[in-house]
Amino acid sequence: MEDHLLGWLRTLDEDRLGRILANRPDAIAAPWPRRLDTLAQRLGNGFAVMETLRGLPLPCLQLAETTLAMTRPTAETLARFVSMEPEDVTPWLEHLYDHALAWPDDDGVIHLAEGVTRWWSAPLGLGEPLEHYLNSWSISNDALHSLARALGLPAHGNKRRTIARVIESLSDLERIRALMRNAPDGTVPLLDRFAWEGPALDVDGGRFVSPGTPEKWCADHGLLFRPSWHVAEIPREVAICLRGPGYHPAYRPVAPEVAAIPVDPEEVDHLMTLAAPHVVERCAALLDNASKTPLPLLKTGGVGVREVRRVAKETGCDEDETRLLLEVCTVARLLAWDEPSGGMIPTERFDRWRLDEGSARLRVLLAAWWRMERSSLRKVDGKYGTVLGDDPAGSAIAQVRRAVISALAHLPSGTAFADRDSLMNNVHWHAPLIDQPLLRECAPAVLDEARLLGLLANNALTDLGRALAGLSAKAGDENDDAVPMVEHDPVLAEAATRALASVRRSALFGPDLTAVVTGPPSAELAALLDRTAERESRGAASVWRFTTESVRRALDHGYEADDLLDELAGVGTIPQPLEYLVRDTARRHGEVTVTTVGCVVQATDPALLAEIAAHRRLGRLGLRLLAPTVLVSTAPADRTLAALRDVGYSPVPVADTGEITIHRARPEEPANGKLILLPGGQVAELSEFPGIEELEAAPYMFAEPAPDPYEHARRLLSAGRPDDEKSGRTWAIIGRMATRLPTAQQSLLGFVVDRGVRAGITLTDGLTATISHGELKGGALDAWCEEAGDYLEFPLAEIVEVRGAY
């Protein structure tokens, strides 16, 4: 199949080849191919073909399936079969050609990529072609001649000619009808059942060897074949004839319309500018809350409902917002499990995120939602799933999300969908391979989540939503730590900047001890007011009220009165009553102190306690004398007991009642049901994040960009064919030029050239590189260098070591 594809690629011009490369970014991903034969291998990769199929609309898949069911299909015969004019079929065939999933040969016969042929085991419910059965090893020449005589055909000639006659006869409806005039009773319903319900059905094997039965008659005349005793199949050509001339496969070249109504674009834009700042602000509040109180996890995995409600209450979010933002922050790597803390806490990336400008913070959250492989607001049997729990649907949920948003993007600006069913039908047309029950189940949740994130307002897609819809091919998956292709997309960046343009960074302080923000507050302003006052209302205007308790809370977190007033003065004019409240609360703050201790150590001998307090090896216990016979430790009682015994003392534990107690160790419980926190079954701790050190220096890691498709098409067409004679002498050239390498390493280097394998090399100057996809050019190896992200030339004589890289 690759040979057919390669032959077609060689006939293309730059424009068509450029379109193929633009539609198939997998084909020019690093290391990008340098010859058409390598490109053909990439384009024919089964996994890549299946992923490409997922992004095609319904007409392309219908034509591909119909083509599979035909013998030597052309554009004209295909159009006739689906009862359409050629101009209704040609645009979608061209779409398949532009994705290298199908191509015509010199005679106009359409060929399909091998990965496409594997997608449908029985296209249109039809079985294998007659040639498959007639060329089978189980059919002898005598059986083939007997079949030809039963059909009234000449039995002489070679096997190939006999097979051609049989196929021609059984592909003709009139001949089959004439043949069936002499068939036993019951033959017609038997064959009709196979033609419409087949191609393979369970049968009674004995009837195929009993004279006079319809089954034996059909088998003797090549209308049914039996691969096993109790299973029979009907050949493709026979089934098509029996379905009759009025049968035409389903073909829907036009997308079903979405019921739509006009909406005010200015109102949609206004709602976006309210929702987007709120998302950034609430995420910051949620993460601040987790930094103070780590989120514990259920033994079965995920965050429990009680914790979700607690966080919602403490941060001022509703429960739906909390569910969504917890999962978004985890996928964005702003929140993660930390073993010492015993819960979920903010990561180091959060510290960098909160210092970034608002637009960048919003894009990080949207990119995380765009690749998230769970649906926060999806209900199954009327119940939400566990927050951060494992979802078996996985990547299919991300596909549903992108398909729904992309379908909404096809609606004109200022238009909203009016009917969810019509929207689902349109989504199915654009993404027919998505599971229909899952689509119906997840779509309402996708729409609700999009509203919370400012992507949808009044059932119309906002500018943010439209910018995100154009990034489906760059979305990435949940396992990506960062997706710069989305987070740094210029269109999304512009939309995010506009969405946050209306945020307020100042407040109006009233003499009634209130602070009013007339518009969406910035995350920094909201965080300051949340720390120092009680929020009373949200919406177009948000109101906070200062109380003695709220000011005391701020002082408890380390504020001094002057520092607090200075920060508040930076966002508005401080009225006298508020200044009096802050200073009066600060004056009384700390009149009484409360100290937390781990345990109390008592003894009747003051000298002994003084000795213990001064012991150098007990410094980690944080021992302090409160009285001559009372010592307090910052460590719990069990650790303090163990430390005292390690240095030679003999303490005993005392219960709260003052009685001496003896503790016995309990058997350690098995750690079953360990939480699967991160996507793909990974359990992550803060210190285990890949690339944390690199991210500290560079917050975002950029992949090497692929070459321009049209420029690369020009290079491929000018590269010509590989020199087969030269490639056959790979080992001879390496053996003669790479004299510093032992024989085994020369062989490995040969595989880098002939098989494209990956290896590490070291040069005479100590330089090391990881290479693959090599070619020999004179005395040099021209290979892909992973460290450089490009093809480089390495002199063979300077390579001193080659080692496997896995």
Side-chain angles (χ1 to χ4, degrees):
M1 191 65 70
E2 280 180 9
D3 293 339
H4 290 294
L5 175 56
L6 178 58
W8 177 66
L9 291 175
R10 286 174 174 155
T11 67
L12 302 183
D13 56 22
E14 289 180 11
D15 185 60
R16 168 54 68 85
L17 185 58
R19 291 205 302 273
I20 291 174
L21 298 181
N23 289 326
R24 293 287 301 273
D26 57 285
I28 52 173
W32 42 81
R34 294 185 288 183
R35 297 194 306 265
L36 286 176
D37 58 336
T38 310
L39 176 64
Q41 293 175 2
R42 290 267 191 106
L43 292 173
N45 177 272
F47 179 78
V49 166
M50 287 188 287
E51 287 301 306
T52 305
L53 275 174
R54 295 182 189 278
L56 296 184
L58 185 61
C60 289
L61 299 184
Q62 290 175 329
L63 288 181
E65 184 180 9
T66 304
T67 300
L68 277 176
M70 298 176 66
T71 303
R72 292 182 61 81
T74 64
E76 293 74 18
T77 58
L78 189 59
R80 259 196 318 273
F81 194 22
V82 297
S83 189
M84 288 282 176
E85 296 299 322
E87 54 267 24
D88 297 321
V89 169
T90 302
W92 296 111
L93 274 180
E94 291 291 328
H95 203 60
L96 285 170
Y97 299 163
D98 285 345
H99 287 78
L101 300 179
W103 57 89
D105 63 16
D106 295 338
D107 298 326
V109 176
I110 301 170
H111 299 269
L112 292 172
E114 188 175 347
V116 178
T117 63
R118 289 200 297 263
W119 191 273
W120 291 279
S121 58
L124 303 180
L126 300 170
E128 299 290 344
L130 272 164
E131 187 177 7
H132 168 79
Y133 300 101
L134 299 179
N135 276 317
S136 171
W137 62 270
S138 60
I139 294 189
S140 64
N141 284 334
D142 291 340
L144 192 59
H145 291 153
S146 175
L147 173 60
R149 285 192 292 271
L151 295 173
L153 302 173
H156 58 79
N158 58 32
K159 182 177 181 180
R160 182 181 299 177
R161 188 173 297 176
T162 304
I163 289 175
R165 292 191 191 113
V166 171
I167 292 175
E168 182 183 1
S169 176
L170 293 180
S171 300
D172 189 327
L173 175 60
E174 294 305 322
R175 290 188 182 184
I176 291 179
R177 284 178 175 174
L179 189 67
M180 292 178 63
R181 292 192 187 104
N182 300 318
D185 292 341
T187 302
V188 172
L190 172 68
L191 288 175
D192 279 346
R193 189 164 70 91
F194 270 91
W196 293 101
E197 300 175 17
L201 295 175
D202 294 335
V203 294
D204 179 359
R207 293 182 62 83
F208 278 79
V209 295
S210 301
T213 61
E215 287 83 356
K216 180 169 173 37
W217 186 89
C218 290
D220 290 343
H221 290 80
L223 301 177
L224 292 178
F225 289 84
R226 207 155 43 111
S228 62
W229 181 257
H230 287 299
V231 175
E233 298 176 355
I234 186 169
R236 183 178 300 175
E237 294 86 348
V238 176
I240 290 176
C241 288
L242 292 175
R243 289 183 182 184
Y247 167 70
H248 300 288
Y251 180 59
R252 193 172 188 178
V254 180
E257 290 188 8
V258 178
I261 56 174
V263 293
D264 183 3
E266 291 186 1
E267 185 178 355
V268 171
D269 197 62
H270 175 66
L271 293 174
M272 175 187 73
T273 60
L274 291 179
H278 181 77
V279 170
V280 178
E281 173 210 332
R282 291 299 87 200
C283 277
L286 183 149
L287 291 164
D288 279 333
N289 182 272
S291 66
K292 300 168 188 172
T293 309
L295 280 169
L297 305 167
L298 302 173
K299 290 183 178 179
T300 55
V303 180
V305 175
R306 186 174 300 174
E307 277 301 307
V308 171
R309 290 174 178 168
R310 177 191 66 78
V311 173
K313 182 178 179 182
E314 292 180 5
T315 59
C317 295
D318 60 36
E319 288 187 31
D320 284 354
E321 275 184 317
T322 304
R323 297 178 63 85
L324 173 62
L325 297 183
L326 276 175
E327 296 195 326
V328 167
C329 288
T330 303
V331 175
R333 304 298 192 262
L334 303 177
L335 190 68
W337 170 258
D338 181 53
E339 193 71 44
S341 303
M344 301 277 288
I345 66 172
T347 67
E348 293 180 6
R349 190 180 183 192
F350 168 62
D351 296 328
R352 295 186 296 273
W353 176 83
R354 72 187 309 168
L355 296 176
D356 215 336
E357 50 100 12
S359 171
R361 279 180 279 174
L362 178 60
R363 296 197 306 272
V364 168
L365 301 175
L366 296 181
W369 180 75
W370 199 227
R371 68 185 190 270
M372 191 166 74
E373 295 178 2
R374 54 172 60 83
S375 180
S376 306
L377 304 184
R378 167 190 173 203
K379 287 187 176 181
V380 179
D381 298 329
K383 296 181 180 179
Y384 286 129
T386 304
V387 174
L388 293 174
D390 196 23
D391 196 319
S395 60
I397 292 178
Q399 293 167 9
V400 169
R401 177 182 301 115
R402 295 167 201 163
V404 170
I405 300 300
S406 297
L408 288 172
H410 288 95
L411 295 176
S413 181
T415 305
F417 74 90
D419 176 65
R420 187 178 292 170
D421 287 337
S422 67
L423 175 62
M424 293 303 97
N425 292 334
N426 185 272
V427 171
H428 173 61
W429 188 91
H430 283 99
L433 295 182
I434 289 179
D435 182 63
Q436 285 293 289
L438 182 66
L439 173 62
R440 299 280 173 179
E441 191 176 82
C442 289
V446 169
L447 298 174
D448 290 341
E449 291 170 14
R451 289 188 187 95
L452 289 174
L453 295 172
L455 305 172
L456 192 71
N458 289 345
N459 287 342
L461 215 57
T462 65
D463 288 346
L464 268 179
R466 291 185 182 279
L468 202 58
L471 300 172
S472 293
K474 306 173 182 177
D477 58 44
E478 242 190 18
N479 292 315
D480 296 331
D481 287 329
V483 189
M485 297 291 284
V486 173
E487 294 175 7
H488 296 272
D489 180 75
V491 177
L492 182 62
E494 181 182 353
T497 301
R498 280 207 324 104
L500 298 176
S502 62
V503 296
R504 298 290 186 265
R505 293 178 171 80
S506 61
L508 301 174
F509 295 101
D512 57 348
L513 300 179
T514 60
V516 179
V517 180
T518 57
S522 68
E524 295 80 7
L525 176 60
L528 171 61
L529 294 177
D530 282 340
R531 287 194 299 269
T532 57
E534 306 290 348
R535 192 186 294 237
E536 291 189 342
S537 68
R538 301 175 183 273
S542 301
V543 178
W544 283 262
R545 183 173 298 279
F546 292 89
T547 63
T548 302
E549 292 75 15
S550 69
V551 174
R552 184 188 304 125
R553 184 176 64 235
L555 297 174
D556 287 341
H557 283 88
Y559 272 110
E560 297 289 341
D562 290 337
D563 294 337
L564 177 56
L565 289 172
D566 287 344
E567 282 201 30
L568 294 175
V571 297
T573 303
I574 304 296
Q576 198 174 53
L578 178 55
E579 184 177 356
Y580 285 165
L581 174 66
V582 172
R583 295 199 180 279
D584 185 57
T585 306
R587 181 176 53 80
R588 301 179 56 194
H589 189 255
E591 290 178 334
V592 178
T593 63
V594 176
T595 302
T596 300
V597 296
C599 64
V600 177
V601 180
Q602 292 177 288
T604 56
D605 185 359
L608 176 61
L609 280 190
E611 175 189 318
I612 292 174
H615 202 294
R616 293 180 62 184
R617 291 178 58 188
L618 298 176
R620 64 183 182 277
L621 296 179
L623 298 172
R624 288 183 296 131
L625 276 170
L626 295 185
T629 58
V630 179
L631 192 68
V632 294
S633 169
T634 58
D638 53 348
R639 281 180 52 197
T640 303
L641 278 168
L644 289 171
R645 285 167 178 166
D646 285 345
V647 296
Y649 297 104
S650 302
V652 293
V654 177
D656 293 341
T657 58
E659 297 177 357
I660 295 176
T661 58
I662 302 297
H663 292 280
R664 289 180 174 84
R666 297 180 180 179
E668 188 174 345
E669 296 182 3
N672 294 329
K674 180 80 174 178
L675 170 77
I676 297 178
L677 255 190
L678 295 183
Q682 298 178 4
V683 178
E685 297 182 3
L686 290 181
S687 59
E688 294 177 351
F689 274 142
I692 279 292
E693 295 81 4
E694 294 84 352
L695 285 174
E696 288 177 356
Y700 303 102
M701 306 296 288
F702 286 92
E704 185 68 24
D708 177 81
Y710 293 91
E711 288 184 6
H712 199 64
R714 189 177 306 113
R715 287 195 292 267
L716 285 169
L717 293 176
S718 63
R721 304 188 183 193
D723 188 339
D724 294 332
E725 181 183 353
K726 188 172 182 179
S727 63
R729 294 188 291 114
T730 297
W731 273 271
I733 296 172
I734 291 176
R736 187 173 70 253
M737 304 294 293
T739 55
R740 297 176 184 268
L741 297 176
T743 304
Q745 294 185 20
Q746 289 178 348
S747 298
L748 179 56
L749 199 60
F751 283 117
V752 173
V753 176
D754 281 1
R755 305 286 177 83
V757 301
R758 187 167 172 262
I761 62 171
T762 302
L763 302 180
T764 53
D765 58 1
L767 176 70
T768 61
T770 306
I771 61 170
S772 60
H773 301 83
E775 290 183 359
L776 294 177
K777 290 187 176 180
L781 173 67
D782 186 10
W784 176 264
C785 176
E786 294 184 8
E787 289 77 8
D790 204 347
Y791 287 96
L792 299 179
E793 289 189 7
F794 302 94
L796 288 171
E798 295 183 14
I799 301 177
V800 296
E801 183 189 9
V802 182
R803 56 198 173 277
Y806 306 103

